[in-house]
Amino acid sequence: MADSSFDIVSKVERQEVDNALNQAAREIAQRYDFKNVGASIEWSGEKIEMRANSEERVKAILDVFEGKLVKRGVSLKALDAGEPQASGKEYKIFATIQEGISQENAKKVAKIIRDEGPKGVKAQVQGDELRVSSKSRDDLQAVQGLLRGKDLDFAVQFVNYR
């Protein structure tokens, strides 16, 4: 029998992020505590730009956006938000959405699988994803359970289960 396998990826549904951003922008436009403070959230190229007239308000915008992401099922581990920066009379936070597993993170996950996973499970890095294969499907499910239990500093999904 051929090996069974699945891929470990770190992808974010761009449309869900866009929807969360639009919902956050709508809420910010309507909320009383954001009236007349120049509060906004929008795409700025590949980054998300949040701005307001005080550091606390720009952090509150980030909080609203994070809440909308969670409701839409996007992991907050994929959101990389910077610190508030003063820019003239307003404060800005730039955030990016992390996609793909970096080489060092892929090596960490492969080491976890090698050290703690069932014997006979192979993990190999393929670009920005990780292919895990084994003769036993039960072993693959044990690896998925192991990785779900770990607190990795990036979001992971399991796809192409064959």
Side-chain angles (χ1 to χ4, degrees):
M1 192 175 109
D3 282 1
S4 298
S5 68
F6 67 88
D7 294 334
I8 301 172
V9 297
S10 181
K11 288 191 167 55
V12 174
E13 190 70 40
R14 174 75 179 211
Q15 187 63 49
E16 292 298 329
V17 174
D18 213 29
N19 291 342
L21 187 128
N22 291 335
Q23 287 178 341
R26 214 170 305 124
E27 181 174 324
I28 289 164
Q30 293 174 348
R31 272 182 40 178
Y32 178 76
D33 55 339
F34 289 124
K35 293 278 187 217
N36 302 323
V37 297
S40 68
I41 180 171
E42 61 195 10
W43 285 105
S44 173
E46 284 298 305
K47 292 183 175 181
I48 298 164
E49 180 182 348
M50 294 159 260
R51 62 173 77 188
N53 69 353
S54 75
E55 192 171 338
E56 292 77 29
R57 289 220 172 88
V58 80
K59 285 181 179 177
I61 293 171
L62 177 61
D63 195 43
V64 168
F65 182 53
E66 286 175 345
K68 299 298 180 188
L69 284 174
V70 168
K71 281 185 181 171
R72 301 213 60 95
V74 177
S75 173
L76 291 182
K77 291 180 180 178
L79 180 70
D80 182 27
E83 290 299 311
Q85 304 166 341
S87 171
K89 289 185 176 180
E90 56 183 23
Y91 285 83
K92 294 181 181 179
I93 293 179
F94 289 100
T96 56
I97 302 295
Q98 302 291 333
E99 286 197 299
I101 300 175
S102 67
Q103 289 293 322
E104 61 266 7
N105 284 338
K107 287 177 184 171
K108 280 185 208 169
V109 172
K111 183 171 176 16
I112 290 171
I113 292 170
R114 215 175 23 253
D115 293 348
E116 301 175 32
K119 299 291 177 232
V121 175
K122 296 185 290 287
Q124 59 203 48
V125 179
Q126 296 181 330
D128 61 351
E129 57 187 46
L130 193 70
R131 167 82 37 97
V132 180
S133 57
S134 172
K135 295 219 180 294
S136 165
R137 288 182 167 231
D138 291 341
D139 287 350
L140 293 179
Q141 289 178 340
V143 167
Q144 287 182 356
L146 171 73
L147 293 177
R148 283 192 182 105
K150 293 287 179 192
D151 186 28
L152 301 171
D153 54 353
F154 55 96
V156 294
Q157 293 88 31
F158 307 110
V159 296
N160 294 339
Y161 191 79
R162 296 187 188 110

